Amino acid sequence: MPPPNNNHFCTCSIIGTGSYVPDRVLTNDDLSKIVDTNDEWITTRTGIKERRIAAEGQATSDMASEAARRALAAAGITAADIDLIIVATVTPDMFFPSTACIVQKKIEAWNAVCFDISAACSGFLYALQTARHYINTGNRKTALIIGAEKLSSLINWKDRNTCVLFGDGAGAVVVQRMDDDAKEAPGRILSAVMGCDGSLTDLLKVPGGASAIPVTPENVDQRLNTIHMEGRETFKHAVTRMCQASEQALSMAGLTAADIKMVIPHQANLRIISAIAERLGIPEERTFVNLQKYGNTSAATIPVALDEANRSGAIQRGDVVLLVAFGGGFTWASTVLVW
Ligand code: ACO
C-alpha cells in the first residue's frame, strides 16, 4: 500500500477527467499522397496510424473548452466551482489574451483566475504541479488543468520528417484539495518532479512568428513558423530524461516500478515508450498507448490518454499510475498518482 503523501503537500486529487479530439481523421495513406512517405515507414518508426485534424475555424480554446466541459461533468461540479484554470499549450489561440482566459469565457467559469503554461509536451504535467502548489498554499481549492493543442497550425506539410508525427486534441482534469481526513482519497497525487535543459532549445522549436523572428512574407516562405526538430537527438534525450524523471517521482513517493499498475507516458513515438518501459522494467501490458489513433498532440497526449484509460477501465480505483512527459525546451516531468 503506497504512503498517502510523503511530499509535504496537502491531499490533492484528480476528481474528473475529460477529453476531446476533432472528427477529421488523417491517415498515413492520406499523408503518402502529400509527401514522400508511406504507412509502413510511419508505423514501424513511430507506431502512428492516423491523427485528428481540427476543423476550419476550430481553435485550441474550442477543443480545450469541450474537454473541460466533459471533465466538469465527470467531476460532478459546475464551472462556478472552479477557481483556477491553467491551459498548457504551445498553440494558443493568439499571443494574448491567454487561451485560459478564452476558455473561461466559453465555459463561463467566472470565479477562476486563468493563465497559460508553455512547456511543450511536458506542459500538462507542469500545469498539474503548478496547480498543486496553488492548492497546497490554500490560495485555490479547485483547479481545471487542460492540455490542448492545434499542432496542425504549426506543421510544414512539405516536411516528411515532422508532418507525419503530430495531431490536434485536448484533455482536461479537475484537481481539488481534499479534507485533511481524506488521506486515502481516489485520484490523489503522491509525488511530482519537473526538469528543464534550456541549453538544448535548438533541437526542437518553432523559430519564427514571435518576437525573435516576427512574421514576414519571406520567413513564412522559408517555413520558419513551423516545427523544426532534430528527431534522433530528441529521441535519445527523451528516453534518458523520462526514465530519470520516473525514477525520481517513484522514489519521492516511496515506491518502485514494481508498484506501478499503469504508465501513461507522453505519446510521441512507440519506440520511445517501449525503451522507457524496458529500462524501468515495466511489462508492455502496463503501458497505456493510444498514439496509433492521435499521433503526438503535445500537451494534450497525457490528459487524453488518462481520460481514455479511466473511461475504458484500464485504470481502476487504487491503482498506482505513473505519468511521464518530455518535450521542447527540453522539458520533462513525472507524476505518481493513486487512482
Ligand atoms: N517517411 C519516409 N521516410 C522518412 C520520413 C517519412 N515520414 N521521415 C524521415 N524519413 C527518412 C529520413 O529522411 C532518413 O532518410 P536518410 O537515411 O536517407 O537520410 C530516414 O528516414 C531516417 O530518418 P531518421 O530521422 O533517422 O529516423 P528515426 O528513426 O530517428 O525516426 C522520428 C524519426 C520518428 C522523428 C524519431 O526520431 C522520433 O520520434 N524522435 C523523437 C520525437 C519526440 O519525442 N519529440 C518530443 C516531443 S515533441 C514536442 O515537444 C512538440
Side-chain angles (χ1 to χ4, degrees):
M1 193 63 193
N5 181 336
N6 67 350
N7 205 10
H8 310 297
F9 276 86
C10 63
T11 303
C12 182
S13 282
I14 293 178
I15 61 165
T17 65
S19 61
Y20 170 84
V21 291
D23 293 336
R24 187 178 159 209
V25 176
L26 187 68
T27 66
N28 292 347
D29 286 338
D30 294 333
L31 280 167
S32 70
K33 294 178 187 117
I34 308 173
V35 285
D36 181 15
T37 189
N38 55 71
D39 176 54
E40 201 265 330
W41 192 97
I42 302 171
T43 305
T44 53
R45 295 294 177 116
T46 72
I48 299 164
K49 298 297 284 184
E50 56 189 41
R51 65 289 292 144
R52 301 300 180 97
I53 304 294
E56 189 81 27
Q58 190 175 31
T60 295
S61 66
D62 294 314
M63 296 185 280
S65 299
E66 193 47 43
R69 288 184 197 102
R70 294 174 188 185
L72 290 173
I77 64 170
T78 68
D81 298 318
I82 296 292
D83 55 19
L84 172 65
I85 300 175
I86 309 178
V87 175
T89 187
V90 290
T91 48
D93 284 23
M94 51 191 89
F95 280 124
F96 70 88
S98 71
T99 302
C101 286
I102 301 169
V103 169
Q104 180 195 39
K105 180 170 74 174
K106 287 183 176 169
I107 67 169
E108 301 188 43
W110 303 121
N111 299 318
V113 293
C114 310
F115 57 89
D116 291 357
I117 277 185
S118 169
C121 304
S122 309
F124 174 76
L125 294 186
Y126 265 56
L128 188 61
Q129 178 68 342
T130 302
R132 192 169 168 235
H133 280 281
Y134 273 87
I135 290 170
N136 198 49
T137 61
N139 183 279
R140 302 281 127 183
K141 183 173 184 223
T142 307
L144 178 61
I145 309 304
I146 306 170
E149 303 284 10
K150 185 177 171 180
L151 289 173
S152 59
S153 65
L154 292 181
I155 288 172
N156 174 359
W157 294 105
K158 292 186 172 160
D159 177 13
R160 68 177 184 173
N161 291 296
T162 53
C163 77
V164 302
L165 302 174
F166 300 104
D168 301 336
V173 300
V174 178
V175 192
Q176 195 166 58
R177 184 189 183 107
M178 296 287 116
D179 294 337
D180 287 343
D181 56 0
K183 298 280 183 230
E184 300 298 318
R188 68 191 181 280
I189 298 169
L190 296 185
S191 65
V193 297
M194 301 189 286
C196 180
D197 183 352
S199 71
L200 300 171
T201 47
D202 282 340
L203 296 180
L204 178 52
K205 63 182 177 181
V206 176
S211 67
I213 306 177
V215 180
T216 62
E218 293 73 33
N219 61 44
V220 170
D221 283 348
Q222 293 167 34
R223 308 268 189 258
L224 294 184
N225 59 326
T226 63
I227 297 172
H228 292 239
M229 180 171 75
E230 300 291 336
R232 260 183 227 180
E233 278 303 301
T234 304
F235 190 111
K236 280 191 272 177
H237 287 283
V239 173
T240 305
R241 292 304 190 179
M242 286 167 89
C243 286
Q244 284 172 351
S246 300
E247 281 161 355
Q248 283 169 4
L250 282 168
S251 154
M252 203 182 266
L255 300 171
T256 69
D259 297 304
I260 299 171
K261 205 61 185 284
M262 190 62 76
V263 186
I264 302 183
H266 172 50
Q267 309 279 312
N269 187 316
L270 188 56
R271 291 186 294 137
I272 294 178
I273 295 174
S274 301
I276 296 163
E278 195 186 322
R279 284 200 198 175
L280 294 174
I282 294 168
E284 212 170 289
E285 62 273 14
R286 285 200 248 140
T287 56
F288 192 85
V289 176
N290 65 0
L291 56 70
Q292 67 282 5
K293 297 188 289 182
Y294 308 131
N296 180 351
T297 56
S298 191
T301 67
I302 289 182
V304 169
L306 181 63
D307 184 48
E308 287 196 351
N310 180 32
R311 287 174 195 263
S312 67
I315 55 172
Q316 305 275 341
R317 287 282 169 240
D319 287 350
V320 176
V321 178
L322 171 70
L323 312 178
V324 59
F326 179 85
F330 286 138
T331 55
W332 54 89
S334 182
T335 300
V336 178
L337 311 164
V338 180
W339 202 243

